[in-house]
Amino acid sequence: MSQVLSSGQITSKDFANYFLDSIANKVYAYSEKSNDYENTEIFKNWSEVIFEIVDLLPENLIKSFISDSISKIKTQYSSRKCREYLCFLLSRSAPRVSAQINLNLIFPVMLDLCNDTQYEIRATACRCLATVAKGLGSETCMDLVVPEMFKFLCDESMLVRTNCFQSLIDLLELFKDYDAKNYLLKKIQSFIEYGLSTRDENYLMTVSKNLGLIVDSFNEIMSSQTKLFFVDVFCQLCKNESLFSKRSANETKYNWNMSKISLARAFPNVVLITNSVNFENKLSQCLSSLVKDRNEKVREAIALQIIPIADKLGKQQHHLIINDFCTSMSDNSILVQTVVVNNLENFFKMFLKDESNGFLSETQQMPGYQIILKKLFELENSVSQSYKYSLHVVILNSLALMPWLVSTDVLVDRILPLLESRIDARALPVRQAAAKSMLIIIRKIPRLSIRNNYFEKLLQLSSHKSCYKRIFFIDICSMILQLYSKNFFKSYFYQPCIRLAQDKVVNVRIRFVKILVDLKRIWRFQLDRDKLENLESIAKTLLHDRDKDVFELAQRAIVQMDFIKSYVNNENDEKLNRIKEEEENYWFELEPKKIKSDNRLSSGFNKIESASATNIGKASISRNQSRLAKTTGHQNLRSSLKIESNLHDRPQSLVDMHNHIEKRTKNLSLTLNEKPKVKPLQQRRNSINSEIYNQSLSPGSPVNSRSSITTISKKK
């Protein structure tokens, strides 16, 4: 019926004349019948129809309909169902009419119902009284409604008191005056004390449900004694099960669990009215008891609030919730694990050291990182065995924040081995998340040999026997394009990537075609014309592929590649690329310092370092060691141990290393026994500068970039 009225097919006046009275008579008729299940359900359904129609009627029709309903119920229909129906009708109509109609028509009738002889009617009327009071305004409500509520809060029935207390809490948002709020706070405090003394479970559940709202509403005007009172009430409701002991064991247990769930949701608001001393003495015990509760719904509720609790405590007190969060991480419940995993990133962000730039010493690490990592690895292992791939992905993504939380030793010894093992996981999203986090962490490892080791393992995927591994290598190339600079990708991952265009497996070629457009973006339009022509020839070759899908994707890729006209398409992208290059250069500024103080580098690297130092002297070692390499042995050294960020200061050594994996170990062993003959550093720089100057004078061969320096050094 409400759909007919809302569709506009009939006017409100005609609808009221033809249908409203007949629907109301249906409600009255079924209200007088027996209280069996069928009649009760029919009565409720017709009542809901009336309430939906009232929401669509204009004010004048609502006023006339309410007047008729009041007169009929007072004179003809006086059953309990009709009076409860009238309570809900008045509360539903109050927001739709003016304050004057509320005051003169609805409010007097509601007060009569609140003083009814049956306690069920009084309880229903008291619960609906808040809606009527909101329509009267704050001043009228404070003068007329609140004094009446205080009377009903002393009713002989606890159900009436409970409903009236809930209505009073719903009205708190109306009062902004200091005197009014102070007066209400004292009354509410006395009613809470009364509830604790009576130990009525429904009343205590209502207090638990609204405790957070009460504290939040009166926080500004609370004295220190009042704050301690509410903290004590909170602790009693959390710990004292004897308050809920008047009913059967099962019902009492259920009510107490529901109360603790409400208290868990109110916990952040209660933290606002306490200091760190009170939190450690009182609230920390409540938090621990809720985290270790037997009911998983309670543990889930408090796990949702741990991060808000930490935010309320402040940055200096974040360490107080570490043990409780670790307890939640070791929970076996799937519900709790889901909440904890979704909060992992926010938890780690609370302890980030932004000023560290991702390089932390042992004294800068987050507090309690040992137990956090232990519980985190246990959680990750549990989630991986439960095949909850979405949760596993979230955990692995959160590990990308570890460079800002723990030192390099912890990253190398514990985090990276875990991520390396998950690269071989069964689910593709898990492998991708592990690879992405590992690439982010590798950027923050100031040790050349370790970075080389992991990049070498990634490059080996391009020639793996399994086609799935080769496809995954292309996914890694896409990640490197996002996380690393263009020069880094061009130097070490470009050649292995484009070789997969000729792969025998169709799916590998299909995945390669999808990355073609991104590969063109890394080259400069004028300076790298030969590379661009080579890439376009690869794309045209894929047009002649026998597979239909490869052919269609290659067509789309070529069309998209035609729209890419320059290396710099976006100033923000170019700025981000320069930042990445600067950070990658920072690796090698940090590398000589690390070599002197780090005893964990490989013995081969130490021997090679001493061999080069015998000829040129430790004091003259350049920050970029690639310029010192001239002999064949030193070139083999660079191909096995050197990954740099600047394209123009390094050769294509890692790609050559990838093509000759079997020969690398032999060359490295020869290098360790050779002492390369190298000129002194200053003499070598002078010779390079003279050649650059001579070439710059010759026409047709200008030296405009650092790439010419690298070329000359190679010739020498």
Side-chain angles (χ1 to χ4, degrees):
M1 299 298 288
S2 60
Q3 294 178 357
V4 175
L5 181 59
S6 61
S7 63
Q9 298 177 1
I10 186 173
T11 62
S12 301
K13 186 176 180 180
D14 293 338
F15 185 88
N17 293 333
Y18 291 112
F19 299 105
L20 193 58
D21 291 337
S22 60
I23 296 174
N25 291 331
K26 289 285 186 181
V27 174
Y28 301 143
Y30 278 98
S31 66
E32 299 295 329
K33 292 184 179 181
S34 59
N35 292 329
D36 58 355
Y37 177 78
E38 182 178 358
N39 292 333
T40 303
E41 289 298 317
I42 295 174
F43 170 77
K44 289 181 180 179
N45 291 336
W46 281 116
S47 300
E48 287 295 329
V49 172
I50 288 289
F51 300 151
E52 292 176 0
I53 292 172
V54 167
D55 292 338
L56 301 173
L57 292 177
E59 183 179 351
N60 57 345
L61 293 178
I62 293 175
K63 180 180 177 181
S64 61
F65 178 68
I66 290 174
S67 301
D68 294 340
S69 300
I70 292 172
S71 61
K72 285 183 180 180
I73 291 175
K74 283 185 176 181
T75 56
Q76 300 179 16
Y77 308 101
S78 59
S79 64
R80 183 172 65 86
K81 286 183 180 180
C82 277
R83 284 178 286 173
E84 288 180 347
Y85 158 75
L86 182 60
C87 293
F88 290 115
L89 178 63
L90 294 176
S91 66
R92 199 69 176 259
S93 304
R96 301 281 301 168
V97 297
S98 63
Q100 192 66 29
I101 296 175
N102 269 330
L103 182 61
N104 297 331
L105 180 62
I106 296 178
F107 180 64
V109 178
M110 187 63 73
L111 282 181
D112 292 339
L113 293 171
C114 289
N115 291 303
D116 197 90
T117 56
Q118 294 184 346
Y119 76 93
E120 295 94 343
I121 306 299
R122 297 200 304 273
T124 304
C126 287
R127 188 66 189 91
C128 298
L129 188 59
T131 308
V132 178
K134 288 179 181 179
L136 296 175
S138 60
E139 295 182 0
T140 307
C141 179
M142 192 66 191
D143 295 336
L144 298 178
V145 181
V146 173
E148 296 294 333
M149 280 187 169
F150 290 158
K151 294 179 182 179
F152 303 143
L153 281 167
C154 300
D155 194 271
E156 60 183 8
S157 172
M158 287 302 299
L159 181 60
V160 177
R161 295 187 181 192
T162 302
N163 288 353
C164 189
F165 182 79
Q166 183 64 54
S167 295
L168 181 61
I169 300 302
D170 293 340
L171 292 177
L172 292 180
E173 61 185 18
L174 294 177
F175 308 112
K176 305 298 182 182
D177 184 63
Y178 175 81
D179 295 333
K181 292 179 73 173
N182 195 20
Y183 174 69
L184 289 173
L185 178 59
K186 293 179 180 179
K187 290 291 184 181
I188 290 173
Q189 187 175 348
S190 63
F191 294 140
I192 292 176
E193 290 176 348
Y194 172 77
L196 292 173
S197 62
T198 58
R199 297 189 176 185
D200 184 80
E201 296 185 7
N202 290 332
Y203 197 92
L204 292 176
M205 287 176 63
T206 305
V207 172
S208 302
K209 180 181 177 182
N210 296 283
L211 190 60
L213 180 60
I214 295 171
V215 171
D216 188 48
S217 300
F218 298 105
N219 181 29
E220 297 177 355
I221 65 170
M222 280 186 182
S223 62
S224 58
Q225 294 181 353
T226 307
K227 291 179 180 180
L228 288 175
F229 168 78
F230 281 101
V231 171
D232 291 337
V233 170
F234 183 87
C235 295
Q236 288 185 46
L237 293 174
C238 277
K239 299 178 181 179
N240 196 356
E241 188 177 3
S242 61
L243 294 174
F244 300 83
S245 59
K246 282 193 173 183
R247 302 187 183 183
S248 61
N250 292 333
E251 191 173 0
T252 297
K253 188 175 182 180
Y254 172 79
N255 290 337
W256 194 41
N257 288 333
M258 294 302 296
S259 176
K260 287 186 288 187
I261 291 174
S262 300
L263 292 172
R265 294 169 181 168
F267 211 120
N269 292 329
V270 178
V271 172
L272 282 175
I273 62 174
T274 186
N275 51 31
S276 60
V277 177
N278 287 333
F279 183 86
E280 293 184 24
N281 295 336
K282 296 181 178 181
L283 292 183
S284 62
Q285 299 177 4
C286 297
L287 181 60
S288 300
S289 64
L290 292 174
V291 167
K292 299 175 183 178
D293 196 86
R294 295 180 180 179
N295 188 277
E296 66 174 359
K297 293 288 185 181
V298 177
R299 301 198 303 272
E300 180 191 14
I302 193 60
L304 281 168
Q305 303 300 325
I306 286 182
I307 303 301
I309 289 171
D311 293 337
K312 302 293 183 182
L313 283 172
K315 193 170 184 179
Q316 301 297 328
Q317 307 297 330
H318 283 168
H319 63 279
L320 297 176
I321 57 103
I322 289 178
N323 291 332
D324 298 306
F325 191 82
C326 291
T327 304
S328 297
M329 278 199 289
S330 60
D331 201 297
N332 294 325
S333 172
I334 296 297
L335 295 175
V336 180
Q337 286 181 354
T338 303
V339 173
V340 171
V341 169
N342 292 329
N343 282 332
L344 265 179
E345 186 174 354
N346 294 328
F347 176 75
F348 289 146
K349 285 180 179 179
M350 294 190 302
F351 301 96
L352 289 183
K353 302 289 193 326
D354 295 331
E355 69 278 2
S356 66
N357 197 26
F359 299 98
L360 294 181
S361 62
E362 294 183 359
T363 58
Q364 292 177 313
Q365 298 180 101
M366 68 179 296
Y369 73 93
Q370 297 94 339
I371 185 173
I372 292 174
L373 290 181
K374 178 182 178 181
K375 298 297 181 180
L376 180 61
F377 291 162
E378 293 176 358
L379 176 63
E380 190 271 342
N381 187 36
S382 175
V383 171
S384 64
Q385 294 178 0
S386 64
Y387 300 102
K388 298 287 183 181
Y389 298 134
S390 58
L391 297 181
H392 201 182
V393 168
V394 175
I395 295 176
L396 296 177
N397 286 333
S398 66
L399 291 177
L401 297 172
M402 283 298 159
W404 291 268
L405 299 172
V406 296
S407 64
T408 303
D409 293 337
V410 178
L411 294 176
V412 174
D413 295 340
R414 305 188 66 179
I415 307 297
L416 286 177
L418 173 66
L419 294 173
E420 183 183 359
S421 64
R422 296 312 179 196
I423 285 181
D424 298 325
R426 183 176 181 182
L428 178 61
V430 175
R431 298 202 301 269
Q432 291 175 341
K436 187 173 183 179
S437 296
M438 188 170 72
L439 289 172
I440 293 173
I441 293 176
I442 289 174
R443 286 184 64 86
K444 304 298 181 180
I445 301 296
R447 297 178 187 173
L448 190 61
S449 59
I450 295 173
R451 293 198 302 271
N452 284 353
N453 182 27
Y454 282 101
F455 283 129
E456 178 186 343
K457 292 177 181 178
L458 294 178
L459 282 170
Q460 290 175 359
L461 296 176
S462 63
S463 58
H464 201 276
K465 294 181 180 180
S466 173
C467 64
Y468 299 105
K469 297 290 185 181
R470 299 197 296 275
I471 293 173
F472 183 56
F473 175 77
I474 301 177
D475 294 335
I476 292 175
C477 290
S478 299
M479 298 175 193
I480 293 176
L481 285 171
Q482 296 175 2
L483 300 173
Y484 289 73
S485 65
K486 295 179 175 66
N487 288 338
F488 180 86
F489 181 83
K490 286 187 284 188
S491 298
Y492 305 123
F493 284 85
Y494 179 73
Q495 289 296 335
C497 183
I498 62 174
R499 288 195 191 99
L500 296 178
Q502 303 174 358
D503 198 274
K504 297 180 181 180
V505 180
V506 175
N507 289 336
V508 178
R509 299 198 300 274
I510 289 175
R511 183 63 186 91
F512 175 79
V513 174
K514 295 178 181 179
I515 204 178
L516 267 176
V517 179
D518 295 329
L519 292 179
K520 185 175 180 181
R521 289 194 178 98
I522 67 176
W523 297 109
R524 299 178 185 271
F525 181 66
Q526 296 179 351
L527 300 179
D528 302 319
R529 185 167 296 177
D530 54 341
K531 299 292 185 180
L532 290 172
E533 291 177 356
N534 182 27
L535 193 63
E536 290 176 359
S537 65
I538 292 173
K540 291 177 181 178
T541 303
L542 292 171
L543 283 174
H544 302 287
D545 198 279
R546 296 179 181 179
D547 188 79
K548 182 180 178 181
D549 295 332
V550 176
F551 169 74
E552 293 178 355
L553 291 172
Q555 277 186 328
R556 297 177 189 174
I558 290 175
V559 172
Q560 294 177 7
M561 291 169 68
D562 291 339
F563 288 99
I564 301 174
K565 297 298 183 183
S566 177
Y567 174 81
V568 183
N569 294 326
N570 191 335
E571 292 183 0
N572 295 330
D573 292 343
E574 179 62 16
K575 186 182 296 185
L576 181 62
N577 184 61
R578 288 197 298 269
I579 293 173
K580 293 176 183 177
E581 287 187 357
E582 291 175 0
E583 185 177 352
E584 290 162 7
N585 288 330
Y586 182 66
W587 294 349
F588 304 99
E589 294 177 3
L590 201 64
E591 184 66 25
K593 302 176 184 178
K594 279 288 179 182
I595 292 173
K596 292 180 182 179
S597 61
D598 195 352
N599 297 324
R600 303 185 59 184
L601 291 174
S602 61
S603 60
F605 185 80
N606 290 331
K607 291 179 181 179
I608 295 166
E609 196 63 29
S610 61
S612 60
T614 56
N615 289 330
I616 62 175
K618 290 186 178 180
S620 62
I621 293 178
S622 173
R623 185 179 59 188
N624 189 350
Q625 298 179 3
S626 64
R627 295 186 181 180
L628 299 178
K630 289 181 60 181
T631 62
T632 306
H634 218 78
Q635 290 175 356
N636 291 330
L637 165 65
R638 291 189 305 170
S639 65
S640 60
L641 293 176
K642 189 170 186 304
I643 296 178
E644 298 180 359
S645 63
N646 197 332
L647 171 65
H648 307 296
D649 286 343
R650 60 177 178 260
Q652 305 287 340
S653 58
L654 197 56
V655 178
D656 297 335
M657 176 193 65
H658 169 68
N659 296 330
H660 305 282
I661 295 174
E662 296 180 356
K663 299 180 180 180
R664 184 174 60 254
T665 55
K666 297 180 180 179
N667 293 332
L668 181 59
S669 62
L670 292 174
T671 304
L672 296 177
N673 296 322
E674 289 181 1
K675 292 186 178 180
K677 299 179 180 179
V678 184
K679 292 182 179 180
L681 179 60
Q682 190 61 39
Q683 181 181 353
R684 178 168 171 73
R685 284 181 176 173
N686 294 336
S687 61
I688 290 173
N689 292 333
S690 62
E691 287 195 16
I692 294 171
Y693 179 76
N694 294 333
Q695 279 207 358
S696 63
L697 296 178
S698 61
S701 60
V703 181
N704 296 324
S705 65
R706 296 172 62 186
S707 61
S708 59
I709 299 176
T710 306
T711 306
I712 294 172
S713 63
K714 287 182 181 179
K715 292 179 181 179
K716 288 181 65 64

